[in-house]
Amino acid sequence: MSVFKGIEPMVVDEEQAARILGISRRMVFEFRTKGELQHVKFGRLIRYRVSDIQAFLERKLIGNDTPANGRRG
């Protein structure tokens, strides 16, 4: 996905974000509109920082000690 050899992008578009996450563009849009996935705007262009995508994944991570439904015990 690198534009320049050895340099990784700091931001990606919606299609690239969807591919990184393995979800549809529609789901990326929904996460964005719910405020779950941060984004940046350059005029009318919407981009996602790779670091925000990684943070989003960390928040969605379900650990072995936390039940999937979010309730404990």
Side-chain angles (χ1 to χ4, degrees):
M1 190 182 308
S2 181
V3 176
F4 299 101
K5 190 174 184 177
I7 299 175
E8 292 299 318
M10 292 179 63
V11 295
V12 295
D13 64 22
E14 195 164 82
E15 178 71 31
Q16 293 167 320
R19 274 191 272 138
I20 290 168
L21 292 167
I23 60 177
S24 69
R25 288 178 65 186
R26 176 73 182 165
M27 287 189 72
V28 171
F29 172 80
E30 289 179 17
F31 285 128
R32 184 183 84 222
T33 56
K34 290 179 185 177
E36 293 184 50
L37 181 56
Q38 292 184 335
H39 63 285
V40 294
K41 287 187 80 172
F42 301 106
R44 294 185 336 203
L45 297 176
I46 294 174
R47 296 294 183 260
Y48 302 87
R49 293 187 308 182
V50 174
S51 60
D52 288 333
I53 294 171
Q54 292 168 332
F56 171 77
L57 286 173
E58 288 298 318
R59 288 191 303 274
K60 292 294 184 182
L61 182 64
I62 299 173
N64 292 333
D65 60 341
T66 304
N69 63 10
R71 289 186 269 167
R72 294 183 185 270

